[in-house]
Amino acid sequence: MIQLTNDDVALQILPELGGKISSLVDRKTGREWLWTHPSLERRPPVFAESFVENLDTGGWDEIFPSISPCELPDSTRIPDHGDLVFLPAEVSDQSSHGLILTTLTRSVRTRFVRKLLLDGRRLEIDYTLESLDPRPIPYLWAAHPLIKLEDGMQLELPTDRLTASDGLELTRTDDGGCRILIQDPAKGVIEPHQLKFFTQRGLAGWASLSATDGSTLRFEWDPEKAPFFGMWLNQRSWYGSGSEPYFNLGFEPTTAPCDCLLEAINAKDHLTLAPGTTASWKVTVLL
């Protein structure tokens, strides 16, 4: 485990588990933003085993080149939640406030690099994806932090144009955005519910989650590089590992409005990395 910390923020990173960020703490309030599975133990993964059954321990994973397992027309097989969750990340340029994580992927041949930097209440993650394959590589990417939810939290987005909204307590704002109230079914007001939705292409470059005590988690990104925002809202309805259903939120800037790379290819919503080229993008987290 590696710790990055300053006066405002503390991170824990597990390079051996794909570079998972296992903890994101606001040191001023003591709030832990990331959800952790209550009973599933973290252990070294076996490549291509079921992520949701064995490895969905919480924290922040990176997803590439697909979320759902799939087989492409050229017989490329991509495992559940992509390559990165199964492969160790090499650490370099480590300091008290930053490091670089590098992973060589397996189902497609790339070098996936993350540069993490803490600056006050800001976490910056710079991504570089380098092709190591003589063929074009289709892919999707998604950040996959699982957020620890509380009753009364509110999600704010700059757009109300969503692919799904059934079951959401949604309020539209005058500037074209929306606020979504998060309710805990344990309070007895709503029934357990699960929903995955996306904003429409290019309409969101930030998303913000606020707690009732005023604590706020805000993500910012370039909507030209990651044109969609996905939200997996699990209000005590779904579980993958035999435990009680979870109360958590997947907070996901992404390059595609779906979980399956093959679906994204068929809809022409995927990205392609040409031989000998690189792609780069950035996510900023503000507490």
Side-chain angles (χ1 to χ4, degrees), residues 66-71 78-82 259-260:
S66 179
I67 301 176
S68 301
C70 66
E71 182 172 349
I78 302 170
D80 184 11
H81 280 65
D259 289 349
C260 177

Side-chain angles (χ1 to χ4, degrees), residues 32-257:
E32 170 64 74
W33 280 102
L34 296 180
W35 175 83
T36 296
H37 195 289
S39 59
L40 192 61
E41 293 185 5
R42 291 185 172 124
R43 59 160 175 79
V46 176
F47 192 82
E49 67 178 315
S50 172
F51 178 86
V52 297
E53 292 179 5
N54 302 319
L55 303 175
D56 193 13
T57 56
W60 180 340
D61 294 297
E62 298 290 339
I63 307 300
F64 169 89
S66 179
I67 301 176
S68 301
C70 66
E71 182 172 349
L72 302 185
D74 65 358
S75 299
T76 298
R77 293 185 177 182
I78 302 170
D80 184 11
H81 280 65
D83 285 20
L84 297 172
V85 299
F86 298 105
L87 299 171
E90 178 183 342
V91 179
S92 60
D93 289 1
Q94 181 182 348
S95 68
S96 62
H97 59 277
L99 54 73
I100 296 175
L101 297 167
T102 301
T103 306
L104 298 179
T105 60
R106 185 178 297 182
S107 64
V108 295
R109 295 179 56 206
T110 69
R111 180 179 287 110
F112 190 97
V113 181
R114 286 162 279 175
K115 182 179 180 181
L116 282 68
L117 178 66
L118 274 181
D119 181 11
R121 301 185 65 78
R122 175 190 302 263
L123 168 64
E124 296 183 351
I125 306 180
D126 287 289
Y127 298 85
T128 303
L129 178 65
E130 178 186 357
S131 172
L132 302 177
D133 200 299
R135 302 167 300 173
I137 298 172
Y139 71 93
L140 68 80
W141 162 83
H144 187 58
L146 291 173
I147 307 301
K148 181 180 178 181
L149 289 181
E150 296 173 358
D151 185 67
M153 283 183 163
Q154 291 199 63
L155 174 69
E156 185 172 356
L157 299 170
T159 177
D160 63 356
R161 295 170 62 181
L162 313 176
T163 58
S165 59
D166 292 345
L168 293 178
E169 186 71 30
L170 186 148
T171 302
R172 290 175 170 82
T173 57
D174 293 340
D175 58 2
C178 70
R179 295 187 184 92
I180 297 168
L181 177 65
I182 307 295
Q183 296 174 286
D184 188 348
K187 300 291 185 179
V189 177
I190 63 169
E191 293 295 319
H193 187 77
Q194 58 181 297
L195 176 68
K196 181 72 179 276
F197 76 80
F198 298 88
T199 57
Q200 294 186 13
R201 177 180 289 277
L203 296 184
W206 61 267
S208 179
L209 183 69
S210 299
T212 56
D213 66 358
S215 300
T216 300
L217 179 71
R218 179 182 170 99
F219 278 42
E220 297 177 351
W221 64 93
D222 183 347
E224 292 189 0
K225 298 289 186 73
F228 304 94
F229 174 74
M231 185 177 85
W232 161 244
L233 177 59
N234 185 7
Q235 292 170 291
R236 303 191 188 277
S237 175
W238 184 89
Y239 61 95
S241 60
S243 67
E244 292 294 320
Y246 313 143
F247 187 41
N248 61 11
L249 171 68
F251 207 66
E252 303 181 2
T254 181
T255 59

